[in-house]
Amino acid sequence: MPHRTRPMTALLLFTALNAALSTTITPVYDFVCFLPYWERRRERRRQEREATIANSFK
């Protein structure tokens, strides 16, 4: 082998990277999922659905 492998260093680096990514995913997820755009879209689709249901009973 051209170089020595360091499994403990690799394991620690892998664990630290996963910990860092898992702590940053929650704010990113909240930011993306609860943007005002999605709230407006959700509300518009709800109103369209209610209008469709109201029109089908007439």
Side-chain angles (χ1 to χ4, degrees):
M1 287 180 99
H3 63 280
R4 292 186 335 193
T5 60
R6 296 184 177 160
M8 193 61 172
T9 305
L11 181 64
L12 287 173
L13 182 63
F14 179 75
T15 305
L17 183 62
N18 280 326
L21 289 175
S22 66
T23 58
T24 59
I25 193 65
T26 302
V28 171
Y29 177 83
D30 289 344
F31 175 76
V32 170
C33 291
F34 298 113
L35 277 174
Y37 167 79
W38 296 114
E39 295 297 326
R40 288 192 306 268
R41 183 171 184 256
R42 206 173 285 128
E43 181 65 21
R44 187 171 56 246
R45 293 189 73 202
R46 184 186 63 79
Q47 289 174 352
E48 289 172 357
R49 217 174 19 252
E50 288 175 355
T52 303
I53 291 170
N55 288 338
S56 67
F57 287 121
K58 290 182 179 180

